[in-house]
Amino acid sequence: MTNPKRPANNQERIFKGLANHRRLQILRILKSRGPVSLDKVAEICGIQAPTACEHARKLRLAGLVFRRRLRRCIHLELTERGQFALDWAPRLESTTARPLRAPGPNP
């Protein structure tokens, strides 16, 4: 039997992964440059390596990035979900924040 809370938990993880300007910056870096080492991400963002590691962990839990270890170096790579999220965010931003109206006669 499936857990009815699971889809909401997955969606929550994705939204939490996107809910930080630094993590969005990391996704944009990966989109423009391809796979990048975690140290290089920290350098580009101007943050400490442990902070970059924590952001990467949240992005990975959300399924937005893939982490690959090459010897002693960790590389991040954008996933299909991460690419979709970057393409989706501007469209969401461009929509209006008006309430939806049910079809039918207007009052």
Side-chain angles (χ1 to χ4, degrees), residues 15-104:
F15 279 104
K16 282 183 178 181
L18 295 169
N20 181 280
H21 74 282
R22 192 65 72 196
R23 290 194 285 276
L24 290 171
Q25 180 184 16
I26 292 169
L27 291 176
R28 287 192 296 270
I29 290 166
L30 297 176
K31 181 179 180 179
S32 66
R33 294 178 176 233
V36 179
S37 74
L38 196 54
D39 289 337
K40 188 68 174 174
V41 166
E43 179 186 323
I44 294 167
C45 292
I47 57 177
Q48 298 295 316
T51 304
C53 189
E54 181 60 21
H55 285 305
R57 184 183 73 80
K58 290 180 180 177
L59 289 167
R60 188 175 49 83
L61 287 173
L64 300 168
V65 300
F66 178 75
R67 186 183 86 165
R68 183 179 314 227
R69 184 178 290 277
L70 299 172
R71 295 189 187 122
R72 296 181 60 159
C73 191
I74 296 172
H75 282 74
L76 300 177
E77 187 174 341
L78 197 60
T79 63
E80 186 177 334
R81 180 183 288 170
Q83 176 69 52
F84 181 83
L86 284 175
D87 294 342
W88 166 79
R91 286 186 286 182
L92 179 65
E93 189 176 36
S94 69
T95 61
T96 60
R98 291 184 298 226
L100 290 175
R101 301 209 192 282

